[in-house]
Amino acid sequence: LLSLVQVHGQGGVKFQNWAKTYGSSPELYFQPTSVEEIREILDMARQRDKRVKVVGGGHSPSDIACTDDFMIQMGKMNRVLKVDKEKQQVTVEGGIFLSDLNVELSKHGLALANLGAVSEVAAAGVIGTGTHNTGIKHGILPTQVVALTLLTASGEILECSESINADIFQAARLHLGCLGVVLTVTFQCVPQFYLHEVAFPSTLTEVLDHLDDHLKRSQYFRFLWFPHSENVSVIYQDPTNKPSSSSASWLWDYAVGYYLLEFLLWISTFVPSLVCWINRFFFWLLFSSRVENIAISYKIFNYECRFKQHVQDWAIPIEKTKEALLELKAALENNPKMVAHYPVEVRFVRGDEIWLSPCFQRDSCYMNIIMYRPYGKNVPRLDYWLTYEGIMKKHGGRPHWAKAHSCTRKDFEKMYPAFPKFCSIREKLDPTGMFLNAYLEKVFY
């Protein structure tokens, strides 16, 4: 049968992730609009012996989405396919951005119970890398997925859920982009809700000594620690019936929180000892008084990632939170040459049964460290990065899949009891490694 669909790939497209820390030049770049077109691209890849990488928002701060062969960008497959009001479930195409989905759901009086900080990310990508937020009663975002369909390397479409292809479902809910092309995702939603956010100053000692109280007191509790100090900003977010209101101001958030910060961090690249002062100064300026906001849930969950940055984010067992943070603090104190930008963001997530979830079978604490790149300039971070990774590994940590880390297959075999299961499903669905790239080779070989 002669195929009626003709797909055209563009040459000469340069792909870069959001932070511009990684990029690649795919030989051909596709933006398919239908399943038939994707099938065609996979056929072409098979004939020419090329690999394929599917990309959504390109937000991952690592090279997980890079390839020099074929790249499929899913942005044109972004429809809402079905809203089931009774079950409060929504089925969408894999390429839809959460920012669009949030607005659509809200028209139906629905919402996702939890969201990460960024919404310019595609539904299939969010689950591919195990995006998370915070809330000890809430799992990582893939735990909200109740079904999905997968187009495999051979062109077969698999329906997956708890009841159909259950094994593939537990693998595909965090798929790393290596099992096939995720065509549709069905999310479990909740009735739309407003969130009341309260941020107030505290100290590291207070928060770590009363962690359980904080976790009980607020449904979406997180805190920001300002390295080189005891300063902490505690953030509570909880559902509310009160009307919208905001005490944030554009002037402070942007003029000061963005432009002044970037300028001072740039100066600190010449005088690293300034960083301790900058962290304290900004805490005093922007975080030392109580601030409250009320808005529709997704507007509170999402926040500005400021500017380009390097990040690491590992999940450790929740009971190790205090020990690990204090070790990081001590390491910075004992090594005056090591600088750390603010904030270290600490979040809490419920355990789950997803094979490659960093929270697999344990409630976890995610500790996100950051180094900004003021005006695109890199700040030395190697010492800090390695010190942090060492502490995380020692406490049984598992790295966030979307972020840069130095782990290899040996590490993952130790970290993930279900790793061999995932590998066998991957080998079954993609025996020739069509969906692999340099990042994934380090994971599987």
Side-chain angles (χ1 to χ4, degrees):
L1 190 73
L2 264 178
S3 151
L4 301 172
V5 196
Q6 279 292 285
V7 289
H8 293 290
Q10 279 175 284
V13 173
K14 184 144 176 45
F15 164 75
Q16 274 200 315
N17 68 343
W18 173 81
K20 297 197 173 15
T21 44
Y22 292 92
S24 65
S25 303
E27 185 180 315
L28 289 175
Y29 180 85
F30 299 90
Q31 284 192 299
T33 55
S34 68
V35 178
E36 286 69 39
E37 281 181 46
I38 301 178
R39 268 215 178 98
E40 195 107 338
I41 298 165
L42 299 188
D43 285 345
M44 196 196 304
R46 208 173 302 112
Q47 286 154 14
R48 300 198 197 169
D49 200 18
K50 295 289 179 193
R51 286 178 163 185
V52 176
K53 197 79 243 131
V54 185
V55 63
H59 234 278
S60 296
S62 69
D63 55 350
I64 191 166
C66 295
T67 184
D68 293 330
D69 287 6
F70 290 2
M71 182 172 277
I72 299 179
Q73 203 280 330
M74 293 290 279
K76 292 188 172 160
M77 298 187 65
N78 61 354
R79 291 172 308 163
V80 173
L81 300 172
K82 183 179 171 204
V83 178
D84 183 331
K85 285 252 167 111
E86 221 152 274
K87 290 185 176 163
Q88 300 186 337
Q89 291 175 353
V90 61
T91 303
V92 295
E93 288 184 308
I96 193 170
F97 272 17
L98 293 191
S99 48
D100 297 326
L101 178 57
N102 292 334
V103 175
E104 275 305 302
L105 285 175
S106 147
K107 290 177 191 165
H108 295 278
L110 295 172
L112 288 170
N114 208 350
L115 286 164
V118 181
S119 278
E120 274 55 60
V121 287
V126 165
I127 67 172
T129 54
T131 303
H132 69 95
N133 180 26
T134 192
I136 199 54
K137 291 195 169 68
H138 297 273
I140 60 173
L141 267 51
T143 59
Q144 300 176 68
V145 173
V146 289
L148 53 87
T149 58
L150 194 62
L151 175 66
T152 64
S154 63
E156 187 188 358
I157 292 181
L158 299 176
E159 309 267 334
C160 309
S161 67
E162 297 278 1
S163 50
I164 316 165
N165 289 320
D167 267 9
I168 296 178
F169 181 62
Q170 288 310 2
R173 284 211 281 179
L174 205 162
H175 55 73
L176 301 183
C178 68
L179 302 179
V181 184
V182 174
L183 298 174
T184 71
V185 180
T186 303
F187 288 104
Q188 180 60 52
C189 305
V190 296
Q192 107 174 357
F193 60 104
Y194 277 68
L195 278 177
H196 180 191
E197 175 179 76
V198 184
F200 57 92
S202 183
T203 64
L204 191 58
T205 309
E206 186 281 322
V207 173
L208 292 177
D209 287 349
H210 302 104
L211 204 51
D212 284 350
D213 297 343
H214 287 291
L215 285 163
K216 285 189 192 98
R217 221 170 283 159
S218 169
Q219 192 179 142
Y220 303 95
F221 153 68
R222 64 150 60 85
F223 68 90
L224 312 176
W225 171 54
F226 289 66
H228 310 292
S229 77
E230 260 284 306
N231 297 331
V232 161
S233 173
V234 173
I235 300 165
Y236 285 173
Q237 295 171 341
D238 291 284
T240 180
N241 299 320
K242 295 179 194 156
S244 290
S245 67
S246 166
S247 55
S249 105
W250 179 90
L251 176 82
W252 284 107
D253 273 10
Y254 274 88
V256 174
Y258 190 108
Y259 297 107
L260 180 62
L261 177 61
E262 186 164 30
F263 177 65
L264 290 175
L265 287 175
W266 181 76
I267 289 180
S268 79
T269 61
F270 305 99
V271 192
S273 57
L274 280 179
V275 171
C276 307
W277 176 84
I278 291 170
N279 289 2
R280 286 170 186 177
F281 173 65
F282 273 88
F283 178 79
W284 171 76
L285 204 60
L286 298 177
F287 298 91
S288 59
S289 55
R290 187 185 167 93
V291 179
E292 300 193 41
N293 282 312
I294 298 175
I296 193 154
S297 58
Y298 64 85
K299 291 192 174 159
I300 296 282
F301 285 139
N302 289 168
Y303 53 86
E304 214 35 70
C305 282
R306 302 285 180 223
F307 34 87
K308 308 306 181 209
Q309 51 191 246
H310 287 285
V311 289
Q312 277 220 69
D313 192 16
W314 286 53
I316 54 175
I318 196 164
E319 57 278 8
K320 305 282 193 183
T321 306
K322 179 174 179 176
E323 216 179 320
L325 247 185
L326 291 178
E327 271 181 50
L328 189 62
K329 182 171 188 261
L332 288 170
E333 280 162 9
N334 299 332
N335 187 346
K337 279 206 171 65
M338 194 155 58
V339 299
H341 291 168
Y342 85 80
V344 170
E345 184 182 16
V346 185
R347 291 175 282 181
F348 303 90
V349 182
R350 197 187 66 209
D352 61 52
E353 290 301 320
I354 298 171
W355 293 352
L356 289 191
S357 164
C359 304
F360 182 71
Q361 294 183 343
R362 66 185 198 202
D363 290 350
S364 301
C365 161
Y366 276 93
M367 215 170 279
N368 185 80
I369 64 167
I370 189 164
M371 285 301 268
Y372 289 114
R373 303 172 61 224
Y375 310 123
K377 181 176 177 181
N378 275 325
V379 181
R381 63 178 201 282
L382 195 62
D383 280 356
Y384 180 32
W385 247 227
L386 293 174
T387 301
Y388 165 86
E389 276 200 343
I391 294 171
M392 294 293 111
K393 268 190 181 157
K394 175 179 148 189
H395 292 295
R398 299 168 177 156
H400 187 329
W401 290 105
K403 302 185 179 174
H405 56 77
S406 62
C407 298
T408 60
R409 176 166 180 145
K410 273 201 185 73
D411 297 304
F412 295 127
E413 283 172 341
K414 278 197 209 95
M415 293 169 181
Y416 288 102
F419 194 75
K421 277 190 185 160
F422 186 94
C423 291
S424 73
I425 288 218
R426 186 196 73 75
E427 283 153 25
K428 203 158 63 202
L429 296 182
D430 184 18
T432 63
M434 178 189 281
F435 295 107
L436 292 177
N437 64 356
Y439 173 100
L440 290 168
E441 288 197 326
K442 283 190 286 227
V443 174
F444 295 112
Y445 293 105

